[in-house]
Amino acid sequence: GLSYTWTFNNATLALEGDGRRFVSQQTGNLYLAKVEPWDEGTYTCVVTNGDAQQRAWGPPTPLTLRRDGVMGEYEPKIEVHFPETTYAAKGSAVRLECFALGK
């Protein structure tokens, strides 16, 4: 299968022992909690297919901190992304995801 890692400023992002950053091996998403000034830089997703011994890089994504401390007017909200109908075979596992953000 596939595995996901991220680079930070062209170096592999080390996550061991880091409770603020997490890479989902389901989606490849990188999650950062409590962003700090030293998190500013360029992030790139790296997808590796171990079976085919191939690797692909996503586009570089810059993270820039706002210097004025203003985050904007973000009302707390919950986003749920479900298809209109979810089908599952009896005895199978189903995963429904929910994402929440707010200020």
Side-chain angles (χ1 to χ4, degrees), residues 57-94:
W57 286 261
T61 303
L63 173 65
T64 304
L65 300 182
R66 292 186 62 133
R67 301 295 179 216
D68 57 11
V70 176
M71 286 300 296
E73 298 298 321
Y74 294 108
E75 293 289 328
K77 66 178 181 175
I78 296 177
E79 297 177 9
V80 182
H81 302 283
F82 299 136
E84 196 168 302
T85 303
T86 301
Y87 297 95
K90 182 178 178 182
S92 68
V94 175

Side-chain angles (χ1 to χ4, degrees), residues 3-4 6 22-31 95 97:
S3 65
Y4 302 92
W6 282 78
F22 168 74
V23 175
S24 168
Q25 291 302 312
Q26 296 278 333
T27 65
N29 292 345
L30 170 64
Y31 298 92
R95 180 176 162 189
E97 291 186 276

Side-chain angles (χ1 to χ4, degrees), residues 19-22 31-36 39:
R20 292 185 322 109
R21 300 178 294 184
F22 168 74
Y31 298 92
L32 286 86
K34 299 181 183 176
V35 174
E36 299 288 347
D39 292 321

Side-chain angles (χ1 to χ4, degrees), residues 5 46-49 53-57:
T5 56
V46 182
V47 182
T48 304
N49 182 331
Q53 297 182 348
Q54 293 182 325
R55 184 172 288 167
W57 286 261

